[in-house]
Structure formats: C-alpha cells, structure tokens
Amino acid sequence: MNDRLELLAAYPFERLARLKEGIAPPASLPHIAMSIGEPKHAPPEFVVDTLRAALGRLDSYPATAGLPETRAACAAWLGRRFGLGQRVNAESMVLPVNGTREALFSFVQAVVSQRTNPAPVVAMPNPFYQIYEGAALLAGAQPLFLDTTVDNRYQPDLDSVPADTWKRCEVLFLCSPGNPTGSVLSLDYLRYALTLAEKYDFVIASDECYAELYRDDRAPPPSLLQAALANGHDRFQRCVVFHSLSKRSSVPGLRSGFVAGDPAIIKPYLLYRTYHGCAMAIPTQLASIAAWNDDAHAAANRALYREKYARVLPVLQPVLDVVEPDGAFYLWPDVGRDDETFTRDLFAAQNLTILPGSYLARDTRTGNPGRQRVRISLVASVEECVSAAQRIRTFLEKS
Ligand SMILES: Cc1ncc(COP(=O)(O)O)c(C=O)c1O
C-alpha cells in the first residue's frame, strides 16, 4: 500500500461516531443532526425533473471536459454572480467536476511537483475542510496550517509565513465563505494573497462552494477571479476557483460542481482527470445546466438560511456567544469548555448531534484553534433548527 495513507487522520465523522458510542440519548426526543454540512432543503423540482428526463442519455461515455453547454452555463453563472461579464472562456477555463470534494483532492495531486520542489508545502486555513490536508499529504506535500481565530477575524494571517516557507509553497487553499467560521475574505485580502502567489510562484485554490449563501445582499462574497482581474491577471494566472451545486441548490447527492481559472492550469488538470476517469454523467450535466442557469431558487435557498439565523439566534444568544456569520450555514461558538465533552453531553441529554471544533483543526504552536468550539450546521428545516436551539438552551441552562 501507499505508505502515505498512514498519514491520513480519521475523518471527523468517524471520530464523532466513536465519541457517541455507548450513549443512549432520551428516546422521547427525535434525533436532530446538526453535525454534517449536508443541506436538507428540498432540491429544486426543475432540477430533479431535468435529471429524470435525461436518463435516456446513459448510452454513451461522457467527455471529461464536459459538454460545451455545461461549461458555458458555469461560465455564464460566474459572469453574472461576480460581474465578470464574458471574461471566463468556457472552452479553456472551466471543467465540470463530480462535486468539489473530488476536485479539491485531485487538483493537488495534479499540481504538486516534487521534481522542481523537493519539500513542497500546501498552505491552508486551520480549521479547514478535511480534504485539503489529505490531498496535501497524499501528494507528498507538507500541510502548513494557518490558524483562523477570533483575533484575526477568522482570516489566515498570510504575513505570519516566513519567505522561505512561501518559496516552498505550491498551493495555498483559501475558503470563503469559510467552513466552519463563515468568515468572508475581502477583495483586498484576495488581491494581497495573489501578490504573494506571484512573488513566490504558487497557485491559489479558492474554495468558494458557499459563495451563494451570505448574509448581506449588498455585499455578496467576492471571488478570487475578481481579485485576479483587479490585479491585472487577465487570464486568471495562478488562480483556480471551486464551485458547487451542493449548497447553492441543495443537491449534495447530485455530485456536481466545477473548477474555473487559469487555462495554463486547467489544461494539464484536464489531462490528469482524463486518466483519473472522472467524467460527469450526461444526465447530471443536463440537470446542472438547469441549476446554474437559474438564480431564483438560489435566492430562495439563501432566504431560508437567513430565516434560520433570525429564528435561532434570539433563542441561543442569552446562553451562548453566537453571531450570524457573513456566509455559509454554520454557527461556530466558543462553548467555554472541552468541546468533545460538550458534544457528548449534549447528545446524551438532548439527542442532538453537533461536531467538536477540535476535530476540524490541527494543533499548531498555539494549540488547536477549534478547541472549546463546536460547529452547529443549520441544515435541517427551520422548525427543526429552532427546536434544536431550544434544546441547546435547555441543556446550557441546566449545566
Ligand atoms: C468548504 C467545503 N468545500 C467543499 C465541500 C465539498 O462539497 P461538494 O463536494 O459537495 O461540492 C464542502 C462540503 O461540505 C465544504 O464544506
């Protein structure tokens, strides 16, 4: 076996299952899952209908590059959402992917080079989406964890990295809106990150899968692609963004997203993907086109998350330090005590599952930035989220 596999940590949900083992929560309370970031809103009917109507298209192998219409729909959405107009060339700058998870992983395998860089580094926020770390380790790179804490407003401190480390960096992962913090990186931040990428010659992989879930209509989260244009990178040099329908359209089971950016990176990445064998099924592509072409359902989805924050926060705020984040669908409170114990005791008392923050982060010099925090996903229905908030409040008032 590949000896790098031994470097992979147990996935957070495996650890969570072990943490809950042997506990019998009150059977009188129905279980509420707030641990996993899996949207539970009903998928748009027109997307499901399109998928169903396209099932006859299973008779041929799809191309790895996707249908031209699929790439065009993704490019058009980028143009509308981020004011990029026609700047994204669907032919050379976009690739469909089977959910961003596989793309975030395979991208690093394709980009990291040990031939030119014997000790490659992949930098990422800490806490982070677990795939970034696993991708770095399996590519033979050293993960560099950049703590995101309340002190840096949950934004990786790029100036904390010594020049010698930046010189070894091959990929910098950014995530905006961030999982689990919900923090949004500003255009200025992204522009600054790009000046470093240029200076030290690395690629920025910007995970923007929560880009459609945000608090303020006057300030939708910017994309790295906008920063690239603002910095004069007219062909998005060194930039690749990752977008997904899982959160935007509540179709995590469709496995549909895309990557877009620098054609000099997209082209060899397409070659990699051709060998890897991860073309998107044509019915999935047709359903995805329908979803990317429609913005109304995404706005309705966003409104539903806002309603949850509006209903949940007044219940929790008297007992917990929670605020509405700029984006995504999580709460990331400091619970003032051990996060594993908190999670286990809450489950035991209220039949409600959340995720210990330390499972989403790694120890650095200053400790684990997820310690004493928990991630609460507001993915269930509005009613269930409100009822969960009431249970958390009862639990805290009693403990
Ligand atoms: C930050 C982040 N990136 C990527 C993903 C993967 O999403 P998908 O593979 O469904 O596109 C997730 C899913 O939870 C996520 O939280």
Side-chain angles (χ1 to χ4, degrees):
M1 297 300 288
N2 181 342
D3 56 4
R4 287 179 188 157
L5 284 169
E6 288 165 22
L7 302 171
L8 299 183
Y11 213 66
F13 298 108
E14 220 179 293
R15 294 174 71 187
L16 181 62
R18 282 205 298 271
L19 182 72
K20 289 165 57 183
E21 236 164 43
I23 299 175
S28 55
L29 294 172
H31 179 249
I32 304 181
M34 306 189 92
S35 48
I36 189 166
E38 179 184 73
K40 291 292 177 204
H41 302 169
E45 253 173 61
F46 69 91
V47 174
V48 179
D49 289 346
T50 311
L51 182 65
R52 206 177 278 123
L55 289 177
R57 301 282 302 270
L58 293 174
D59 58 345
S60 49
Y61 281 118
T64 308
L67 297 166
E69 298 87 334
T70 307
R71 295 199 302 273
C74 299
W77 174 78
L78 284 172
R80 289 195 309 280
R81 168 64 181 81
F82 299 109
L84 299 170
Q86 313 280 317
R87 305 293 287 270
V88 179
N89 182 303
E91 198 57 33
S92 61
M93 298 181 180
V94 179
L95 283 180
V97 299
N98 295 298
T100 48
R101 181 179 180 140
E102 65 90 352
L104 292 161
F105 179 81
S106 59
F107 183 73
V108 177
Q109 314 313 309
V111 167
V112 167
S113 159
Q114 266 146 345
R115 186 168 50 84
T116 50
N117 183 355
V121 161
V122 171
M124 64 196 72
N126 187 37
F128 52 86
Y129 180 55
Q130 301 295 298
I131 301 303
Y132 310 158
E133 182 197 42
L137 291 170
L138 277 184
Q142 179 193 335
L144 172 70
F145 302 115
L146 304 173
D147 290 355
T148 58
T149 63
V150 72
D151 294 336
N152 57 28
R153 293 184 301 120
Y154 304 114
Q155 312 205 338
D157 178 3
L158 302 178
D159 289 329
S160 68
V161 180
D164 280 353
T165 307
W166 276 137
K167 282 182 194 155
R168 289 165 47 208
C169 183
E170 301 256 325
V171 179
L172 165 65
F173 274 114
L174 295 175
C175 183
S176 175
N179 170 3
T181 66
S183 151
V184 166
L185 302 173
S186 69
L187 193 65
D188 283 347
Y189 181 101
L190 296 170
R191 291 186 65 178
Y192 180 61
L194 250 182
T195 61
L196 293 174
E198 208 171 343
K199 181 169 174 188
Y200 295 109
D201 191 20
F202 59 81
V203 172
I204 305 184
S206 184
D207 181 349
E208 302 179 357
C209 76
Y210 293 96
E212 291 274 71
L213 303 183
Y214 49 86
R215 182 163 57 89
D216 185 353
D217 278 331
R218 290 161 309 172
S223 169
L224 180 67
L225 298 184
Q226 288 167 280
L229 292 185
N231 278 18
H233 295 214
D234 59 331
R235 291 172 64 74
F236 308 112
Q237 291 90 328
R238 293 191 173 76
C239 298
V240 173
V241 297
F242 296 72
H243 284 281
S244 175
L245 287 176
S246 300
K247 325 286 180 184
R248 175 183 191 266
S249 304
S250 303
V251 286
L254 187 65
R255 311 312 300 129
S256 178
F258 70 85
V259 300
D262 187 343
I265 301 171
I266 295 290
K267 190 174 174 196
Y269 181 45
L270 170 60
L271 177 66
Y272 176 95
R273 292 181 65 77
T274 307
Y275 277 85
H276 190 57
C278 44
M280 184 187 283
I282 289 176
T284 308
Q285 292 191 56
L286 297 177
S288 304
I289 293 170
W292 288 117
N293 281 344
D294 181 77
D295 297 330
H297 78 282
N301 198 32
R302 187 156 56 239
L304 213 46
Y305 286 110
R306 287 180 188 165
E307 187 186 344
K308 291 185 204 178
Y309 283 113
R311 304 260 313 267
V312 159
L313 290 179
V315 179
L316 287 179
Q317 272 165 344
V319 291
L320 202 58
D321 179 21
V322 276
V323 287
E324 183 171 350
D326 287 337
F329 49 49
Y330 301 106
L331 295 172
W332 180 239
D334 181 343
V335 291
R337 60 181 103 166
D338 179 68
D339 48 295
E340 277 192 304
T341 312
F342 183 94
T343 302
R344 199 178 47 220
D345 292 352
L346 177 65
F347 176 63
Q350 297 290 340
N351 203 8
L352 168 62
T353 307
I354 57 172
L355 191 64
S358 57
Y359 290 8
L360 297 171
R362 296 288 176 260
D363 282 346
T364 58
R365 259 175 310 151
T366 49
N368 182 318
R371 209 171 57 88
Q372 300 205 351
R373 286 186 179 272
V374 294
R375 191 186 77 175
I376 303 173
S377 299
L378 299 186
V379 286
S381 67
V382 177
E383 269 56 47
E384 261 192 311
C385 285
V386 173
S387 142
Q390 278 154 351
R391 289 196 210 173
I392 295 172
R393 182 162 168 171
T394 306
F395 168 74
L396 282 168
E397 283 171 345
K398 283 190 186 161
S399 58

